Amino acid sequence: MLLIPAIDLKDGHCVRLKQGIMEDATVFSEDPAAMARHWIAQGARRLHLVDLNGAFAGKPKNEAAIKAVLKEVGAEIPVQLGGGIRDLDTIERCLDDGITYVIIGTAAVKNPGFLHDACSAFPGHIIVGLDAKDGKVAVDGWSKMTGHDVVDLAKKFEDYGVEGVIYTDIGRDGMLSGVNIEATVKLAQALRIPVIASGGIASLKDIQALCAVQAEGISAAITGRAIYEGSLDFKTAQAEADRLSVNS
C-alpha cells in the first residue's frame, strides 16, 4: 500500500481545505518545493499535487509552484497532478515539465470524449479523479452534484484506458473522519484497474483498515490534513503499510 502525501496549491502556497471549500483554507507552507523535499525525506514514493485555483478556474494557475516542486523532486519519485486540466495541450505541457500522471476530474465527467482522447494520446499517464457523495459523482470543485453513479462511470472510464481511479468521498475529505472503506471497496471490486483511496484519513487505524482490503484492488491512499496536523506520522504510516502488505 502506497501512501501519497498531498500538496494542495492555492495562490502559490501549500494549503488544505475542508470539504473543498476554498474560503476554508489552512496554509501549511509558503514553500511547496520545500514541502515536497520534506515528504521525500519522510519516505514518500509518490507525490499528489492539486492546483486548487486551477480546479476552480478551469486552467492551471499555480504553474510556478508546480515547476518549483518538479525541480526539487527531479526524477526521484513520480508526481501526479490534478486541477484545471481541460485540454490535450495542457496535458502535454504537464508531462513535458516532468509530471508522471495527469489527473482528470470534472472534465472527464462533463466531456468524456476528452478523457478518451487523452487516454489514446498519452497512454499510461492518465488517472481519473472521481469525487462522490452517497455514490453520486460531484464536479466543479465539488460544488455541483450530478446524477452519475460512481461505479458505472468508473467502469466506462476503465474501458477508455485510464491508468487508475482516485476515489474521494467528499463528505469526509479534510474532516479527519475516517476513510469510507465500504464505498472504496465497492468501487475497487467493480474494476480491474487500481483504485487510490482519498478523503478522511485521520490516523494509523485508517491505514490498517485500508491495508486489510488492499487485495480488493486498492493500491494507494492519498493523505493530507492528517500528516500536516500531526494526527498521522507519515514515516510510521508508510512503514506500517509496507509491513502489512508484506504479511498479507
Side-chain angles (χ1 to χ4, degrees):
M1 174 75 64
L2 189 66
L3 301 186
I4 309 174
I7 297 178
D8 289 1
L9 301 168
K10 182 185 180 209
D11 306 331
H13 303 147
C14 173
V15 306
R16 288 303 290 167
L17 306 185
K18 286 185 178 176
Q19 295 183 309
I21 300 165
M22 280 291 267
E23 293 72 30
D24 198 355
T26 305
V27 176
F28 284 110
S29 173
E30 305 283 336
D31 188 347
M35 190 55 73
R37 171 54 49 202
H38 169 74
W39 294 127
I40 291 173
Q42 292 294 307
R45 302 198 284 266
R46 189 190 290 194
L47 292 177
H48 176 77
L49 297 187
V50 181
D51 184 339
L52 292 171
N53 302 99
F56 284 85
K59 59 185 178 181
K61 289 287 184 182
N62 280 284
E63 289 182 286
I66 292 163
K67 284 181 178 177
V69 168
L70 291 169
K71 186 178 180 184
E72 182 65 43
V73 172
E76 281 184 71
I77 61 171
V79 176
Q80 59 194 40
L81 171 68
I85 296 165
R86 304 280 196 270
D87 58 70
L88 296 178
D89 287 344
T90 301
I91 296 174
E92 187 168 28
R93 198 163 68 245
C94 290
L95 296 177
D96 285 347
D97 285 344
I99 294 292
T100 307
Y101 302 105
V102 169
I103 303 158
I104 301 175
T106 292
V109 182
K110 289 186 163 182
N111 184 3
F114 162 58
L115 180 67
H116 194 277
D117 291 345
C119 290
S120 299
F122 309 105
H125 292 286
I126 306 299
I127 293 174
V128 72
L130 292 177
D131 306 326
K133 189 174 184 181
D134 302 325
K136 300 298 181 185
V137 174
V139 294
D140 292 333
W142 308 348
S143 60
K144 295 174 189 162
M145 295 303 298
T146 72
H148 293 295
D149 179 83
V150 68
V151 172
D152 291 346
L153 208 53
K155 287 168 88 166
K156 178 172 145 182
F157 294 159
E158 177 178 61
D159 292 340
Y160 289 0
V162 298
E163 191 69 10
V165 174
I166 295 172
Y167 173 68
T168 305
D169 184 313
I170 63 175
R172 304 193 183 209
D173 189 75
M175 302 303 288
L176 301 180
S177 57
V179 181
N180 189 333
I181 297 282
E182 187 182 353
T184 308
V185 167
K186 182 184 175 188
L187 180 62
Q189 287 174 333
L191 302 174
R192 300 180 303 278
I193 53 175
V195 169
I196 298 173
S198 171
I201 288 175
S203 68
L204 207 53
K205 281 184 181 175
D206 293 309
I207 304 304
Q208 291 161 341
L210 281 168
C211 287
V213 294
Q214 184 175 358
E216 303 293 348
I218 302 166
S219 66
I222 295 166
T223 174
R225 183 170 287 274
I227 56 173
Y228 286 98
E229 294 191 345
S231 67
L232 182 70
D233 179 80
F234 183 85
K235 198 170 191 174
T236 302
Q238 184 62 73
E240 176 72 350
D242 290 343
R243 183 185 71 79
L244 291 171
S245 298
V246 168
N247 293 336
S248 62

